[in-house]
Amino acid sequence: VQVSVRGTGKPAAALLLEEEQFRFAKRMGCILGGAAGIATAFSAPIGALLYMLEEVTVASWPQELTFRAFVCSAVAVVFCRGLLNFQGQDVHRLVIFEEVYGGYREREWIDVFFFILVAAFTGAYAALHT
């Protein structure tokens, strides 16, 4: 017995298969896009691949995706560097903390007390939440 979807004439099983393929393609697109974005932001294609392996469970990570993610992230880095070189910009323009910053000052030993105080309050707050 074949059940067809109303008005299309296609079997329901084929429609279900198309939905599964679409979900798979959408998941792979998100993984590749995430790897390319991280690689571009940090100029590190291998780091992006390792980050994506960490974020996506290994059970849902096909083996052929490893090569695709590396190629996608490497192409993204090369393309980004090419665009920045074409515009005469440096890669450091993508990073929030530029080398030349007007408000930068050297840290002093008195600042260490402030960092320890912030770390203590953050640790106590985290301990209360968990």
Side-chain angles (χ1 to χ4, degrees):
V1 175
Q2 192 174 30
V3 179
S4 64
V5 178
R6 189 191 283 184
T8 61
K10 293 183 180 179
L15 187 60
L16 182 63
L17 183 62
E18 288 176 8
E19 287 180 12
E20 287 295 321
Q21 287 176 343
F22 179 69
R23 285 187 196 134
F24 179 76
K26 191 165 60 170
R27 186 170 57 242
M28 295 308 118
C30 289
I31 291 171
L32 293 176
I38 291 172
T40 302
F42 298 108
S43 286
I46 296 175
L49 179 65
L50 293 175
Y51 181 75
M52 286 286 104
L53 278 171
E54 179 184 339
E55 289 299 316
V56 178
T57 60
V58 178
S60 65
W61 184 277
Q63 284 184 331
E64 69 270 4
L65 189 61
T66 304
F67 181 72
R68 290 179 186 170
F70 178 72
V71 169
C72 182
S73 59
V75 167
V77 168
V78 169
F79 187 73
C80 179
R81 285 198 179 214
L83 283 177
L84 287 173
N85 287 338
F86 179 71
Q87 291 180 337
Q89 299 289 330
D90 191 17
V91 176
H92 297 288
R93 299 286 296 180
L94 292 176
V95 182
I96 296 172
F97 305 107
E98 293 183 23
E99 291 178 8
V100 180
Y101 177 66
Y104 179 76
R105 69 176 179 88
E106 293 291 326
R107 299 285 180 211
E108 298 175 8
W109 283 104
I110 195 72
D111 296 331
V112 174
F113 174 73
F114 175 72
F115 292 134
I116 291 173
L117 190 66
V118 168
F121 281 125
T122 305
Y125 185 71
L128 290 174
H129 264 284
T130 54

